[in-house]
Amino acid sequence: MKKSSLPVRTAAVFGLLVLAFGAMLALNVRTGSLSIAPEQVFRILLHGGSDGTPAGNVIWKIRLPRLLAAAVLGGALSVSGFLLQAFFRNPIAGPYVLGISSGAKMLVGVTMVFVLRHFAGMPFWAVMAASFAGSLLVTGFVLLFARRVRSMSVLLVIGIMVGSICTAVTDFFITFADEANVANLHSWSMGSFSAVSWQNLRIVSAVILVSLWGAFLLSKPISAYQLGENYARSMGVNVKAFRVALIALSSLLSASVTALSGPISFVGVAVPHMSKLLFGTAKPAVIIPGSFLLGGVFCMGCDLIARTAFSPSELAISTVTAVFGAPVVIALMLGRQRGRDHG
Amino acid sequence: MADEYIFSAAGLAVGYRGRAVLRDIDVRLRRGQILTLIGPNGAGKSTILKTVTRQLSAIAGTVYIGREELSGLGQAALAKTMAVVLTERVQPEMMTCYDVAAMGRYPYTGRFGTLSAADHAIVRAALRRVRAEEIAGQDFTRVSDGQRQRVLLARALCQEPEILILDEPTSFLDIRHKIDLLDILLEESRSRRLTVILSLHEIDLAEKISDLVMCVTGEGVTRVGTPEEVFSDDAIAALYGLDSGSYLVKRGSVELARVEGAPQVFVVGGAGCGLPHYRALQKRRLPFAAGILFENDLEFEVARALAAKVISQTAFTPISVQAVRAARETLLQCRAVLDAGAPKGPLNAANDALVALAQAHGIKVIHHAEELD
């Protein structure tokens, strides 16, 4: 029966994902404008830090932080998307699609413009805080309109509109910012894993891992919530607290990503959907860790393409994720439409 | 002996945003009883059910589960006592019917909701009790409405509740699935002493399944009582504001409005033979008279609901001279007499005489309404 084959499939897919994750790490760390032999990569990694050689510097100061950022942030975005989908009970929800990333970007941008006018720099925790506040702000806004919307397309439209408003506000403030800061802001707001420092990566990773654990602890109520708010409540879910936790965690996750690398498109929608197809289930206890791994693989792959496709020029990461992610969104909408026609 | 009652509401007022829609609801249920809420749409049946399941808070009054106040129960404790089947559409992603039913174990499983062997046994038993074993492995969104409703019922049973609450569980179901579902509820309430509160649109079914019936109208809860106490033709007509059609309690049938006017056809019926002809004439919008019917006749209630005029005779007594006279007068005004072909006997010989009278007066005697077309 189907029941007995499920754990086998789950284990097999997890095994595959771990392998793919490892392969992506290996591939990414040795690919780039400076080609480094595998055994040398290995030696440098074992060294535990840059050994002073150019290859060592490239690996430890450029490739590794960027690579790990792609892995962790990709995972975080995916889980954030999954949590939003659970919240809205709508597979089209995601931090980028709903304009939440744009909201984070707006608040970071606005804060930066003001802070940089008076101070030399903006500490990373402040960027994080602004990003989180922006995420919450937009989520609240979307909720205001979309609380009772079950239709995917309406939610999508609301998200796009809210996102556009945020982008407009960001642009408005950038117009009045100093030239030097604009360049900084602009490259950040395009979305990139390139400017990642070890220290910031550590902060963000810590936040993400804690949130991930929190999300995993929510997997039981998330699955109950799939049957609807009232059924969930009747089974003992504290719906109010649960909803607050969902929003807080998904905002923390996506805000961390936006703070470190700017908005990245479509990962949050595409990866959870692909994981569900891979695992053949939507059980949160499987999909949360599964999406994290797959999100890491997906973003490392996209970053590899962003770095190498038109080397030496680099693509923005969102350019690549959109190419792979947007079709998934379209497929989702069409699939749902077809399902409705049949039902 | 308050603890005899598993569910009671005292002076309950329900409504939205502090405004009461219904007041002074008093009802008490013993373990294993079935209470059915009937009444027109929008009267507040769902509001009552939402209040007793704590989706809405009570405006006034108290609901007791056993001896405890509903409002004082913890969420987990409530989930182990009360389960629900709601009207809202459930569309879980990639869940089999088994998964949906198993979700009912929620209050009993650990932090990650892992099912033990005992939990699996309970889920399988629940699916068997609702006769949904064979669809256990199918995707929940792909099964029929009737099957889906049974799986949701299995989910509720997995919660091992003492009280089960169902909001219009039979809407959207065909007649076979309606009967199946109510049969399962009756079985659960009798064999496991599960207390059931549900709302129904089908008054005929409500009468057959309920121990207690609550009539809910927009003006307030009109009556609570046993089906025998509550069901009378007039009470049902009043409850639903029926001024055209009617509901016949003894037959459990709904009849459309009678066609008013001077009778054009006289139906000579009896022993139920007139039934199809009454309906045929009603569909042709022809006012008709019926007679002479004994008041215990199978078709008497329907004739009374549909005929413009009924000439009847008290049950178990010979047809009186007055009845014959009244029948003759009415018959002579009609343009046709429909002989329904009822069995003849010494007690209804007067009916044969009526047909003969028609022939003597040159009134057309027919056997089917089509002959008038």
Side-chain angles (χ1 to χ4, degrees):
Chain A
M1 239 175 81
K2 212 177 164 195
K3 245 186 302 152
S4 59
S5 71
L6 209 60
V8 179
R9 178 166 176 182
T10 307
V13 175
F14 266 120
L16 270 175
L17 280 182
V18 170
L19 278 180
F21 198 88
M24 269 300 165
L25 279 175
L27 197 61
N28 255 302
V29 82
R30 58 171 296 254
T31 311
S33 47
L34 182 72
S35 68
I36 307 168
E39 60 274 14
Q40 200 187 353
V41 172
F42 215 64
R43 212 179 50 242
I44 293 169
L45 286 181
L46 283 181
H47 194 259
S50 175
D51 54 4
T53 62
N57 280 336
V58 164
I59 284 183
W60 276 98
K61 291 195 177 140
I62 299 171
R63 283 189 199 166
L64 217 49
R66 175 170 185 156
L67 174 62
L68 292 175
V72 175
L73 300 189
L77 276 177
S78 310
V79 175
S80 170
F82 178 76
L83 297 179
L84 287 170
Q85 287 149 27
F87 185 92
F88 287 101
R89 261 175 286 132
N90 192 330
I92 214 79
Y96 186 83
V97 170
L98 292 185
I100 296 171
S101 301
S102 310
K105 174 178 125 181
M106 170 183 77
L107 219 63
V108 172
V110 171
T111 327
M112 262 189 188
V113 166
F114 281 107
V115 168
L116 293 181
R117 200 170 280 171
H118 304 286
F119 304 93
M122 183 159 159
F124 186 66
W125 63 262
V127 177
M128 282 280 277
S131 179
F132 184 59
S135 301
L136 284 181
L137 186 75
V138 169
T139 312
F141 216 63
V142 171
L143 270 179
L144 207 64
F145 296 119
R147 179 96 166 72
R148 304 253 167 241
V149 171
R150 297 306 316 275
S151 136
M152 287 206 292
S153 32
V154 175
L155 188 63
L156 195 61
V157 170
I158 293 174
I160 292 170
M161 293 308 133
V162 172
S164 309
I165 296 171
C166 292
T167 309
V169 173
T170 315
D171 290 347
F172 178 81
F173 275 93
I174 287 179
T175 316
F176 295 103
D178 296 337
E179 284 291 321
N181 301 332
V182 170
N184 254 333
L185 207 56
H186 194 67
S187 79
W188 171 81
S189 71
M190 290 289 289
S192 162
F193 295 128
S194 63
V196 172
S197 77
W198 274 108
Q199 199 202 352
N200 294 352
L201 181 61
R202 264 196 289 271
I203 298 171
V204 165
S205 302
V207 173
I208 286 174
L209 288 178
V210 170
S211 313
L212 187 69
W213 179 241
F216 192 65
L217 289 180
L218 284 183
S219 35
K220 185 182 169 187
I222 290 174
S223 57
Y225 200 71
Q226 276 215 312
L227 298 187
E229 190 180 326
N230 291 322
Y231 274 114
R233 190 178 289 119
S234 82
M235 290 187 278
V237 179
N238 182 343
V239 170
K240 218 174 254 176
F242 168 72
R243 290 169 67 103
V244 169
L246 266 189
I247 287 300
L249 287 174
S250 74
S251 296
L252 259 180
L253 286 167
S254 71
S256 308
V257 176
T258 310
L260 197 61
S261 63
I264 296 170
S265 59
F266 296 113
V267 178
V269 179
V271 173
H273 184 61
M274 291 192 288
S275 333
K276 283 172 204 163
L277 291 181
L278 271 178
F279 284 101
T281 175
K283 286 200 172 80
V286 173
I287 297 300
I288 290 173
S291 290
F292 189 81
L293 278 177
L294 185 62
V297 172
F298 183 82
C299 278
M300 283 192 282
C302 287
D303 192 42
L304 188 65
I305 296 172
R307 285 196 296 137
T308 56
F310 298 100
S311 170
S313 25
E314 224 180 73
L315 296 172
I317 181 71
S318 273
T319 313
V320 185
T321 54
V323 167
F324 293 105
V328 175
V329 177
I330 295 171
L332 259 173
M333 306 255 328
L334 291 179
R336 184 55 80 89
Q337 202 69 51
R338 220 176 17 243
R340 193 176 300 150
D341 293 345
H342 281 299
Chain B
M1 299 265 276
D3 55 343
E4 267 192 57
Y5 295 101
I6 179 74
F7 176 92
S8 39
L12 183 68
V14 302
Y16 294 91
R17 280 172 240 102
R19 281 241 298 279
V21 179
L22 296 165
R23 294 172 196 285
D24 303 323
I25 303 169
D26 287 283
V27 63
R28 288 189 291 185
L29 287 178
R30 288 173 207 280
R31 220 174 264 279
Q33 284 194 310
I34 298 181
L35 166 70
T36 306
L37 276 57
I38 60 169
N41 282 335
K45 299 189 296 287
S46 288
T47 316
I48 295 177
L49 294 182
K50 280 181 181 158
T51 307
V52 301
T53 54
R54 279 210 324 212
Q55 287 176 50
L56 290 173
S57 44
I59 309 284
T62 320
V63 176
Y64 295 94
I65 306 295
R67 282 180 167 178
E68 300 203 54
E69 283 189 28
L70 174 70
S71 54
L73 278 177
Q75 225 170 350
L78 182 63
K80 290 180 186 178
T81 315
M82 185 189 274
V84 296
V85 175
L86 305 168
T87 43
E88 63 192 49
R89 204 162 167 73
V90 177
Q91 281 183 302
E93 216 182 343
M94 299 173 98
M95 278 173 99
T96 62
C97 293
Y98 189 92
D99 292 336
V100 172
M103 203 55 84
R105 296 306 295 158
Y106 191 96
Y108 300 93
T109 53
R111 173 158 275 303
F112 293 104
T114 317
L115 298 171
S116 67
D119 289 319
H120 279 298
I122 289 167
V123 176
R124 275 195 300 271
L127 285 168
R128 191 169 56 241
R129 274 148 61 196
V130 303
R131 300 157 209 167
E133 287 165 295
E134 69 282 7
I135 53 161
Q138 288 180 36
D139 191 303
F140 181 76
T141 54
R142 301 235 170 254
V143 299
S144 76
D145 285 335
Q147 292 171 325
R148 206 171 301 163
Q149 202 67 334
R150 291 213 303 274
V151 171
L152 287 173
L153 179 59
R155 188 211 63 79
L157 294 180
C158 283
Q159 262 173 270
E160 301 187 308
E162 295 182 65
I163 304 172
L164 178 62
I165 296 189
L166 307 96
D167 195 357
E168 290 179 8
T170 54
S171 314
F172 311 115
L173 300 191
D174 60 36
I175 184 69
R176 192 199 120 199
H177 286 113
K178 280 186 214 276
I179 293 171
D180 278 358
L181 190 84
L182 295 181
D183 193 48
I184 295 164
L185 291 180
L186 201 54
E187 175 61 25
E188 291 292 323
S189 81
R190 296 302 107 108
S191 67
R192 292 163 189 270
R193 310 229 305 153
L194 178 68
T195 309
V196 181
I197 302 176
L198 75 162
S199 57
L200 280 182
H201 270 306
E202 300 84 355
I203 354 175
D204 48 334
L205 295 176
E207 190 193 350
K208 281 149 202 163
I209 189 182
S210 318
D211 297 303
L212 283 175
V213 176
M214 185 190 283
C215 303
V216 184
T217 64
E219 290 87 55
V221 175
T222 48
R223 294 185 76 181
V224 180
T226 63
E228 295 75 30
E229 289 165 356
V230 167
F231 279 86
S232 70
D233 296 352
D234 292 345
I236 297 298
L239 174 62
Y240 285 91
L242 292 180
D243 31 48
S244 49
S246 55
Y247 178 76
L248 306 179
V249 171
K250 280 189 202 147
R251 292 179 49 85
S253 71
V254 178
E255 300 298 341
L256 298 178
R258 77 162 54 87
V259 183
E260 303 284 2
Q264 295 184 28
V265 182
F266 192 100
V267 181
V268 179
C273 298
L275 284 171
H277 304 294
Y278 300 147
R279 302 243 154 79
L281 291 167
Q282 147 81 16
K283 279 180 220 156
R284 286 173 173 76
R285 314 307 284 162
L286 288 171
F288 63 92
I292 301 171
L293 294 173
F294 293 103
E295 285 171 7
N296 63 340
D297 196 293
L298 191 54
E299 64 192 64
F300 174 64
E301 299 263 344
V302 178
R304 229 172 38 157
L306 295 182
K309 184 164 188 187
V310 181
I311 293 115
S312 64
Q313 177 62 50
T314 320
F316 307 117
T317 57
I319 292 175
S320 67
V321 183
Q322 292 94 317
V324 173
R325 192 181 304 138
R328 281 165 167 262
E329 274 168 26
T330 313
L331 183 142
L332 293 174
Q333 307 293 316
C334 292
R335 65 176 164 108
V337 169
L338 197 156
D339 183 359
K344 311 280 190 292
L347 276 182
N348 69 351
N351 280 351
D352 256 359
L354 285 176
V355 176
L357 177 77
Q359 276 159 340
H361 280 78
I363 298 173
K364 201 170 154 195
V365 175
I366 57 173
H367 295 91
H368 291 287
E370 290 124 67
E371 294 167 48
L372 293 169
D373 296 346

